[in-house]
Amino acid sequence: MPTQRRLSTVLIILVLFSSLTPLAAWGPHPVITKAALDVLPDAEKWQQALGPENFAKLTAYCWLPDQKGEDMKAYYGDDYLLFRAHPNYTEHVMPMAMNAVGPYFRRALQALRTEDPVNAARQMGPLIHFVEDILAPPHARPYCPHHNDLEYWVDNKKIIIAGYQPLLLGRTDDEALAALQKRLSELVPLSAKRADEALPLVSAPNPDRSKVEPIILESALDAARIAADTIHTVLTLGLAPQPVGAGLKGIVTAPEFPMRNDHGARVILLDSDFGTLANTDAGKSASGAWQGSYEFHNLPAGQYRIMAYRTAARAIISEPVTLKIGETARMDFALLPTEPPGNIIENPDAAIAYLPNNRPDRWRVALAITPTWSSSSADINPKLSYRCGAALKYPNARVTFVFWAEDEKKGGPPIEVKLLEGQLKPEEKIVTPSLGHQLVTVRVETDKPLAETIERVWVIPVTQEAGGQTK
Ligand SMILES: [Zn+2]
């Protein structure tokens, strides 16, 4: 289902200034992806290479672009949506949606060539999503009304392309990407035309859904075929034997990320496009401490500084490491806790600014009268209270903690708690969310850059020691 998060009133103002994506999604993404996977000629080979579980999860990862800024438990949606060549979200409708195809195509190939199968499978998700979205009739036709109906009025059981033979779109990355973009451009007008055909039917009084479904189905089948071409091509090129490159691997240890201790850690080769997630080592994390492993292969030789970061810990940047062809270097990281420990806000001191978009990673700016920064939202347990605090560098800033529900009707209105203004002394308040709340966001109003405004902000669950539940 499409995410409802950006419907929240809390974010309405912010949404106006960030991404005006439609509130709906191509209803049958997983069904379309499954139809594509079912016709792959080398499916067994890919299942072996990626692991059957990762391969099967492509039907879930194709939702990723609808999970902007969301905590997906083991990872954040943004870990795979945003990178140096694609530092900001792209609109999902034409003509803008086509701009995402190139960066996501190349990034998926890079992941298949240089990262572990878990990361590679996740990184294919955004590409698959956009290829499918572009052919959804209300995405193909700009400014299309009845968006939801034109996506969901299709019989999912009929989205089957048995007998279709996926095409290898090219023998090189450039050739394949050009062919994919060309093929999409040829199919978009057909989907736009179907939107125009279906519109009078869905907008009629007492619309007859059975007349609309066959029209939308044609686009869903086109989307499944081109998704199959895309997946077949990306796996063929991405998993082809590569010239010997350099390797890097290691372990990241970190303090507990409260209630999210299965979360991965970002590992980034600074000043390069290479990055990955260290994934949790099952059974290796004891008494709150966390351990995860990461690996890169087929990297270009060279000198790199490596950054490791995980929520509730402080980022570390290594000394320069020299990677040599044919060798795998090892670099372990032991991350220290945030101050105070257990902070569930990502990048809470605005110190990480890896993405080339003039702002700290995981913070968004809303250009209201006073510029307002918004952190990524963090998942909360509404049964707990939270220590919410800030230490500022600039006393005129206004810091607000917003506890909110994805669906305000079910979860209740947001709670907003402001800290005192006009002081540099660290301040903290205890906030108890409503039982229907799931998320917390920190807002900072300031006329200075965020990194010059905050020393740090924090949200920390108050664990109830005496027999209370912390989970
Ligand atoms: Zn979409």
Side-chain angles (χ1 to χ4, degrees):
M1 295 301 291
T3 175
Q4 295 299 313
R5 281 192 180 182
R6 67 188 73 87
L7 280 171
S8 162
T9 50
V10 174
L11 289 184
I12 289 286
I13 305 166
L14 300 176
V15 161
L16 286 175
F17 304 100
S18 53
S19 60
L20 279 167
T21 44
L23 299 172
W26 206 178
H29 272 296
V31 184
I32 294 173
T33 305
K34 177 72 168 55
L37 295 180
D38 284 348
V39 298
L40 293 184
D42 302 315
E44 243 171 71
K45 186 168 136 193
W46 310 138
Q47 280 173 345
Q48 257 178 21
L50 289 178
E53 201 188 327
N54 294 318
F55 181 81
K57 279 189 184 163
L58 290 173
T59 57
Y61 298 145
C62 66
W63 276 128
L64 262 162
D66 286 338
Q67 292 157 345
K68 292 173 204 159
E70 289 189 27
D71 181 344
M72 304 307 296
K73 294 196 167 68
Y75 58 92
Y76 294 106
D78 287 354
D79 292 333
Y80 300 93
L81 295 173
L82 303 178
F83 42 88
R84 292 210 321 175
H86 187 263
N88 301 303
Y89 303 132
T90 301
E91 304 285 333
H92 294 210
V93 291
M94 287 297 290
M96 293 79 84
M98 197 68 95
N99 296 334
V101 173
Y104 282 142
F105 181 85
R106 294 189 191 281
R107 187 64 187 84
L109 286 171
Q110 180 190 311
L112 286 160
R113 287 169 185 156
T114 64
E115 297 174 58
D116 68 16
V118 172
N119 280 285
R122 289 177 191 157
Q123 194 61 66
M124 287 175 68
L127 173 66
I128 299 170
H129 183 99
F130 270 89
V131 165
E132 294 173 351
D133 257 12
I134 284 170
L135 296 183
H139 290 248
R141 181 191 186 278
Y143 309 108
C144 189
H146 293 275
H147 195 110
N148 273 10
D149 302 340
L150 292 181
E151 289 192 321
Y152 283 97
W153 284 17
V154 57
D155 183 353
N156 283 351
K157 290 193 294 296
K158 292 190 178 152
I159 305 176
I160 293 168
I161 51 167
Y164 179 71
Q165 298 201 326
L167 304 172
L168 183 64
L169 293 165
R171 306 230 156 252
T172 64
D173 299 3
D174 290 347
E175 191 182 284
L177 174 57
L180 173 60
Q181 287 163 329
K182 179 164 179 282
R183 190 78 194 108
L184 285 168
S185 306
E186 289 162 357
L187 292 170
V188 162
L190 302 180
S191 274
K193 201 167 143 249
R194 292 184 195 118
D196 286 329
E197 262 175 70
L199 270 173
L201 298 170
V202 295
S203 53
N206 306 315
D208 182 353
R209 181 171 167 149
S210 69
K211 285 197 179 127
V212 178
E213 284 187 352
I215 301 172
I216 308 299
L217 179 64
E218 289 306 314
S219 285
L221 295 173
D222 275 351
R225 285 186 282 261
I226 200 154
D229 296 345
T230 303
I231 297 168
H232 175 62
T233 300
V234 164
L235 288 171
T236 302
L237 297 179
L239 294 175
Q242 301 296 312
V244 181
L248 172 68
K249 65 178 183 179
I251 284 171
V252 182
T253 51
E256 182 182 17
F257 175 0
M259 296 175 299
R260 271 292 183 273
N261 219 21
D262 54 348
H263 226 281
R266 285 172 86 190
V267 179
I268 282 164
L269 275 54
L270 293 177
D271 304 314
S272 88
D273 292 327
F274 298 103
T276 196
L277 229 63
N279 289 305
T280 303
D281 290 335
K284 293 271 175 65
S285 304
S287 64
W290 175 87
Q291 181 183 313
S293 298
Y294 73 93
E295 76 166 272
F296 291 99
H297 40 265
N298 296 323
L299 292 175
Q303 228 186 32
Y304 299 91
R305 285 176 317 138
I306 306 152
M307 184 184 77
Y309 172 70
R310 185 172 184 257
T311 304
R314 280 184 262 169
I316 290 187
I317 296 175
S318 76
E319 292 297 314
V321 185
T322 303
L323 303 185
K324 295 182 187 145
I325 298 299
E327 290 179 17
T328 297
R330 172 148 193 144
M331 173 69 71
D332 296 337
F333 295 89
L335 305 185
L336 296 170
T338 48
E339 172 54 40
N343 188 357
I344 63 173
I345 299 298
E346 248 189 306
N347 198 14
D349 50 7
I352 301 173
Y354 167 71
L355 298 172
N357 56 11
N358 296 317
R359 58 177 191 256
D361 290 10
R362 309 316 190 229
W363 287 85
R364 281 189 271 173
V365 73
L367 299 168
I369 296 166
T370 311
T372 301
W373 291 90
S374 171
S375 72
S376 281
S377 51
D379 287 23
I380 54 139
N381 176 347
K383 291 180 187 153
L384 299 179
S385 295
Y386 286 81
R387 294 168 54 197
C388 298
L392 299 180
K393 293 176 181 170
Y394 177 51
N396 292 351
R398 188 183 299 163
V399 180
T400 309
F401 298 84
V402 187
F403 287 81
W404 54 288
E406 288 177 43
D407 182 344
E408 198 179 305
K409 278 192 201 121
K410 281 191 207 149
I415 292 178
E416 298 197 7
V417 175
K418 282 186 170 48
L419 297 184
L420 279 180
E421 279 172 67
Q423 60 164 22
L424 283 173
K425 200 163 63 85
E427 198 203 343
E428 180 177 283
K429 285 186 177 169
I430 303 283
V431 182
T432 304
S434 293
L435 276 181
H437 287 164
Q438 299 118 333
L439 297 152
V440 61
T441 305
V442 186
R443 288 206 311 245
V444 181
E445 281 175 61
T446 175
D447 49 18
K448 288 199 178 207
L450 186 63
E452 292 171 29
T453 300
I454 57 168
E455 191 74 50
R456 56 190 182 272
V457 295
W458 61 87
V459 175
I460 298 163
V462 179
T463 47
Q464 299 156 356
E465 300 270 301
Q469 285 193 322
T470 58
K471 300 278 165 184

